[in-house]
Amino acid sequence: MTIRVTVWGENVHEQKNRAVAEIYPATMHGTIAAALNQAGGISAGTVTLQDAEHGLTPAKLAATDVLIWWGHAAHGEVKDEIAERPFKRLMGAPCNLSWREAGERERLWVTSRQHPIARGLPDHFEIEHEEMYGEPFGVPEPLETVFVSWFQGGEVFRSGLTWRRGAGNIFYFRPGHETYPTYHQPVVQQVIANAVRWAHNPEARLTDPNAAPNRPVGQTLEPVVERGPRLHHDGEAGLR
Amino acid sequence: MTIRVTVWGENVHEQKNRAVAEIYPATMHGTIAAALNQAGGISAGTVTLQDAEHGLTPAKLAATDVLIWWGHAAHGEVKDEIAERPFKRLMGAPCNLSWREAGERERLWVTSRQHPIARGLPDHFEIEHEEMYGEPFGVPEPLETVFVSWFQGGEVFRSGLTWRRGAGNIFYFRPGHETYPTYHQPVVQQVIANAVRWAHNPEARLTDPNAAPNRPVGQTLEPVVERGPRLHHDGEAGLR
Amino acid sequence: MTIRVTVWGENVHEQKNRAVAEIYPATMHGTIAAALNQAGGISAGTVTLQDAEHGLTPAKLAATDVLIWWGHAAHGEVKDEIAERPFKRLMGAPCNLSWREAGERERLWVTSRQHPIARGLPDHFEIEHEEMYGEPFGVPEPLETVFVSWFQGGEVFRSGLTWRRGAGNIFYFRPGHETYPTYHQPVVQQVIANAVRWAHNPEARLTDPNAAPNRPVGQTLEPVVERGPRLHHDGEAGLR
Amino acid sequence: MTIRVTVWGENVHEQKNRAVAEIYPATMHGTIAAALNQAGGISAGTVTLQDAEHGLTPAKLAATDVLIWWGHAAHGEVKDEIAERPFKRLMGAPCNLSWREAGERERLWVTSRQHPIARGLPDHFEIEHEEMYGEPFGVPEPLETVFVSWFQGGEVFRSGLTWRRGAGNIFYFRPGHETYPTYHQPVVQQVIANAVRWAHNPEARLTDPNAAPNRPVGQTLEPVVERGPRLHHDGEAGLR
């Protein structure tokens, strides 16, 4: 089964910043998608902020198994009715952190032995030039901590974290500042391909993820005799 | 230290529905607050949907240590700029479930031995008339499962769950359908008082929960020589 | 890739109890293995308490990807040097519960939508005759709660739970009392096959899961000048 | 309510190693207990490996609310019938890691904002000379990650982690190599006092943490008619 991936990119810095454009002549989202298309079993395409509906039409989402979201400068330009800062929205938390842009060394350590997202990786790997993100990282406790980063300037960061929301698996991956060639690094491409395979849920999609069905008295699994006052009629739609 | 509690109530059914008004002549939020004020070490007040800014003014929130939210029929009437369905917002998930209003028996079982929220409780207790909520409950995996409910009609539900978001502790408690006298039951009042004490974080409040401070190169904890291109100037506010 | 499963059975009641022998003429472990061998992509065999080293020789374990453990009456007869009550050992907790043997109805509800272990299942299923296990269940908080059971006598139980230990995935499944034909029920066989596929970790096995390597000063990733007193010599084996 | 703490120490290096004896003339466990006795609301005593039953008599444990365990060189000398490497036993996992003894700088970052164990701490603090422990750390996923360490040599480590087992709260704290004056550092003493207060469970102790009571048919909460064959008689002790 081929996993269908959509890579969403802001596509702002690639167009406006010469340094970024030189590092990523094919854009960051394009570079990520190209690497995924080489990984095997994955078919990846791209959409951007500038596309109609930011590229996230119902038809596109229906044909997407795993969505990769690259956001940085233009979070505020994403229309709420399309996708309201999806990571913060899924976390229900500020997701804040400290940061520094100095091209310093980052070293990621695997913290969950033999995790599918760490498949084929050594126990640590380095990115020679990266932006620093520092703890505390304002996210909910994760299901799993897969990577923790060491930074040259003295900070640490939980750089690979997993959560589940509904039937969906979420992986947060820290690296990828636009002024450094991070997405050209094979080990980073490997992490992203691993994460796509891990996140993919082959089960049939839920028809209505918000369904809140009434189970009326006449159809209970065990006998129930209705008692007391009530607010709703049988089969009525639930309050949401 | 007295814990300052604000009980938020929709205050809709108490005003419009005769059955509810008869069970809760002092309203549901008023009943909950009165019980908390008897519990010791807690000072509880109430606000409602109908108050200006739904009662959730900055001054009120600044004077609130623990917020209790009772929502059911009027989720949609809460203005987004005040509080956008706070539980769903904190969960980042649909929070959906199945339901039935038949006044059936619910029995809650303690699933976490000696948890502070189960303090002084037997290993199970019954609510003779309740609405049924059934699994699957569309919430993220909790930190802890404190109660699981058995329903007469054959369903189960994870009725007491905890999460943390930022510096805040969250407890979800299922029972409390407005047409039944649940909040008059001493064991339910005990759970709510226990949960208030558990949720209370005595630490100083974060001045800015969204702060994302820059750590400039000249002030690093370990020596860093800046390298490579950059997007930001020193001390600049981070992208959010 | 075929997943190699070893089903470990006590094989006590099948030999000594006529009722059990009539329900499971091929033994319980044999019934489970036969169902797995029909499931596709799985090659299952069996070993028992009565085998030399309880069947768990180093060679057998080396050829086992997923181990299924059925224990009940003879936990105490398993030699500690072979396998010391493996579930309790992995949990680090009492794993105790309340129980009743009355052939009552159990109904399992899926609590994690579209989880791989619930693949192809309805949102609930019934086992008409089962032993009751009741909460509180003395296990650590799980990574995921996949099933919660309703019992006719009024109890509930978290019947499907996951954990990880090292590189291994653990699934606990409650049903399967030996005097009832639970393992002949197709939906139960489906859960077990799903769980085998979920638990299987295709990564290369760790050579030494207890390795605690020294990283001597001369080989650090970043420059370190040794300072202060020390207890160990370079390259010395760590304390365990 | 005064929290009764017992600090267990190996008391080996303090007696045999001159460097350790000079740093800790009052022993490490004695230093920790003395600091706790200054913290307020805590009454701390010490026991050692060399005491009869390693000091962990039933009477001592009955009078202990929180146990602090300092183990390093002599894990193997603790008799299994007294306490079988309690941390590994509670984790059910290897708890292995990489290490280096070079007196290098460790910097601990708070990763859970306003957590009770981080009470009164800055967002990071340094220990100028410490042993390095490196990831991957072979423990189960924690309930909460409270501290992550940065090491001068390039490694990271999850240095403050919480779990629950039964009714007990567990906190793992990494620092404290015996050849460095870590336990004299006020911020470390603060962490330990915070952790004691956090771990303390004021609920009545469970009489029998392993109790597995039978709930016989005649005393069910809901009507049950016994059906099918059975193995046990009413009221019989459960299989463990």
Side-chain angles (χ1 to χ4, degrees), chain A residues 2-6 43-45 57-66 205:
Chain A
T2 297
I3 304 175
R4 300 166 302 171
V5 175
T6 298
S43 170
T57 60
K60 172 55 81 179
L61 290 173
T64 298
D65 295 317
V66 177
R205 195 163 301 193

Side-chain angles (χ1 to χ4, degrees), chain C residues 71-92:
Chain C
H72 192 183
H75 286 305
E77 297 176 29
V78 179
K79 290 176 193 158
D80 281 4
E81 64 273 23
I82 303 295
E84 188 188 352
R85 297 184 182 210
F87 182 61
K88 285 180 73 167
R89 185 82 195 192
L90 288 162
M91 294 295 102

Side-chain angles (χ1 to χ4, degrees), chain B residues 59-225:
Chain B
K60 172 56 81 179
L61 290 173
T64 298
D65 295 317
V66 177
L67 179 68
I68 295 180
W69 188 271
W70 192 96
H72 192 182
H75 286 305
E77 296 176 29
V78 179
K79 290 176 192 158
D80 281 4
E81 65 273 23
I82 303 295
E84 188 189 352
R85 297 184 182 209
F87 183 62
K88 285 180 72 167
R89 185 82 195 191
L90 288 163
M91 294 295 102
C95 307
N96 54 333
L97 44 85
S98 69
W99 61 282
R100 175 177 55 245
E101 189 190 10
E104 71 200 273
R105 185 176 311 124
E106 175 177 12
R107 181 179 296 109
L108 290 96
W109 288 89
V110 174
T111 53
S112 182
R113 287 173 199 279
Q114 311 291 76
H115 193 285
I117 297 178
R119 187 168 209 179
L121 301 183
D123 68 355
H124 70 275
F125 61 92
E126 295 176 6
I127 303 176
E128 189 53 32
H129 298 279
E130 256 298 351
E131 185 178 9
M132 183 281 289
Y133 276 15
E135 294 280 351
F137 184 23
V139 288
E141 289 292 335
L143 274 184
E144 303 162 312
T145 301
V146 183
F147 300 114
V148 171
S149 286
W150 178 100
F151 286 98
Q152 198 178 348
E155 287 88 358
V156 295
F157 198 74
R158 290 169 293 165
S159 283
L161 299 171
T162 73
W163 295 268
R164 178 173 295 134
R165 292 290 182 271
N169 298 309
I170 302 169
F171 178 61
Y172 171 88
F173 189 52
R174 197 214 72 76
H177 190 58
E178 56 267 53
T179 58
Y180 312 119
T182 301
Y183 294 122
H184 291 302
Q185 201 168 326
V187 71
V188 170
Q189 295 178 354
Q190 180 70 43
V191 170
I192 297 173
N194 288 345
V196 162
R197 294 188 185 104
W198 169 86
H200 177 227
N201 188 341
E203 303 308 308
R205 196 163 299 194
L206 294 169
T207 315
D208 178 2
N210 295 295
N214 180 244
R215 308 290 189 203
V217 173
Q219 303 167 30
T220 52
L221 298 159
E222 303 287 336
V224 167
V225 176

Side-chain angles (χ1 to χ4, degrees), chain D residues 30 46 53 126 187 197 206:
Chain D
T46 65
E53 300 184 40
E126 295 176 6
V187 71
R197 293 189 186 104
L206 293 169

Side-chain angles (χ1 to χ4, degrees), chain A residues 13 17 19-20 23 72-73 75-76 84-85 88-94 96-105 128-129 131-132 138-141 143 152-155 164-166 177-180 208-217 220-233 236-240, chain B residues 13 17 19-20 23 72-73 75-76 84-85 88-94 96-105 128-129 131-132 138-141 143 152-155 164-166 177-180 208-217 220-233 236-240:
Chain A
H13 292 306
N17 184 295
V20 177
I23 296 171
H72 192 182
H75 286 304
E84 187 189 352
R85 297 184 183 210
K88 285 180 72 167
R89 185 82 195 193
L90 288 163
M91 294 295 102
N96 54 333
L97 44 85
S98 70
W99 61 281
R100 175 176 56 245
E101 190 190 10
E104 70 200 274
R105 186 176 311 124
E128 189 54 32
H129 298 279
E131 186 177 10
M132 182 281 289
V139 289
E141 289 292 334
L143 273 184
Q152 198 179 349
E155 287 88 357
R164 179 172 296 133
R165 291 291 182 271
H177 190 58
E178 56 267 53
T179 58
Y180 312 120
D208 178 2
N210 294 296
N214 180 244
R215 307 290 189 204
V217 173
T220 52
L221 297 159
E222 303 287 337
V224 168
V225 176
E226 190 176 339
R227 303 178 297 179
R230 59 192 291 195
L231 290 172
H232 301 280
H233 297 288
E236 191 179 7
L239 300 167
R240 294 186 182 183
Chain B
H13 292 306
N17 185 295
V20 177
I23 296 171
H72 192 182
H75 286 305
E84 188 189 352
R85 297 184 182 209
K88 285 180 72 167
R89 185 82 195 191
L90 288 163
M91 294 295 102
N96 54 333
L97 44 85
S98 69
W99 61 282
R100 175 177 55 245
E101 189 190 10
E104 71 200 273
R105 185 176 311 124
E128 189 53 32
H129 298 279
E131 185 178 9
M132 183 281 289
V139 288
E141 289 292 335
L143 274 184
Q152 198 178 348
E155 287 88 358
R164 178 173 295 134
R165 292 290 182 271
H177 190 58
E178 56 267 53
T179 58
Y180 312 119
D208 178 2
N210 295 295
N214 180 244
R215 308 290 189 203
V217 173
T220 52
L221 298 159
E222 303 287 336
V224 167
V225 176
E226 190 177 338
R227 304 178 296 180
R230 60 191 291 194
L231 290 172
H232 301 280
H233 296 288
E236 191 178 8
L239 300 167
R240 295 185 182 183

